[in-house]
Amino acid sequence: MPSIPHDLASFLVEAKRRTYAGLDDDATVAAPLLTGSKQLEHRAPPYAYRDIYFGMGFFVGQETVSRDERVIWSMSYSGGVRGEIRDRDTFLAIYKFLRQALLDVPVEEPYRGPRRFEQAGMVYRNEVEGALDRFHGIETIARHDGTPLFELRYGGGLLR
């Protein structure tokens, strides 16, 4: 098993808070590597974080962390708002709530958001298994009455 750099989890928390969770698409790089994608980046040498994704209502993406120009960690994800949700205000409220949950990412599990987060009549849940070197999880958002609104699956770990 590869050894986990002691400061990788802290860097991931900082990077996530300074990109999508904190800035939404305002953190997007002007000229993404892949046409049609959104690309978010954060650097704090020796680390560099990159998140590239496609889509909005349903989206897929990949985050990578490089150390000294070599990719050492990655996470892929896919999911989004339920297909029957078409109302723009509801759509925007769900993603605003998601970003609030993601700002609360814990350093002990720096993948998505906390295990549970509640605000604005919605409940975020994050079920994850594994550790920073190899993990997978599912996050959901529902109304307080249990009506499902959003689902995302993710997985990743240290590269070797």
Side-chain angles (χ1 to χ4, degrees), residues 10-68:
S10 295
F11 171 76
L12 274 167
V13 168
E14 176 186 335
K16 289 168 181 274
R17 287 180 179 158
R18 291 178 182 246
T19 55
Y20 180 75
L23 298 172
D24 191 8
D25 287 336
D26 291 342
T28 301
V29 172
L33 293 172
L34 301 172
T35 304
S37 71
K38 297 283 186 177
Q39 181 174 320
L40 312 168
E41 295 184 352
H42 174 69
R43 294 181 187 283
Y47 293 112
Y49 168 88
R50 178 176 287 148
D51 179 4
I52 297 176
Y53 67 95
F54 294 87
M56 181 66 169
F58 179 82
F59 54 91
V60 297
Q62 182 176 25
E63 299 176 15
T64 59
V65 172
S66 300
R67 182 181 173 119
D68 299 321

Side-chain angles (χ1 to χ4, degrees), residues 40-111:
L40 312 168
E41 295 184 352
H42 174 69
R43 294 181 187 283
Y47 293 112
Y49 168 88
R50 178 176 287 148
D51 179 4
I52 297 176
Y53 67 95
F54 294 87
M56 181 66 169
F58 179 82
F59 54 91
V60 297
Q62 182 176 25
E63 299 176 15
T64 59
V65 172
S66 300
R67 182 181 173 119
D68 299 321
E69 304 299 320
R70 184 171 99 25
V71 176
I72 61 166
W73 182 92
S74 184
M75 178 180 82
S76 59
Y77 56 87
S78 67
V81 172
R82 293 185 57 96
E84 65 270 14
I85 297 173
R86 304 255 186 241
D87 176 66
R88 179 172 167 74
D89 290 339
T90 302
F91 194 85
L92 294 175
I94 292 167
Y95 282 118
K96 180 179 181 183
F97 172 76
L98 175 62
R99 286 191 306 278
Q100 287 300 308
L102 296 179
L103 281 172
D104 205 20
V105 57
V107 72
E108 302 81 24
E109 296 175 332
Y111 321 116

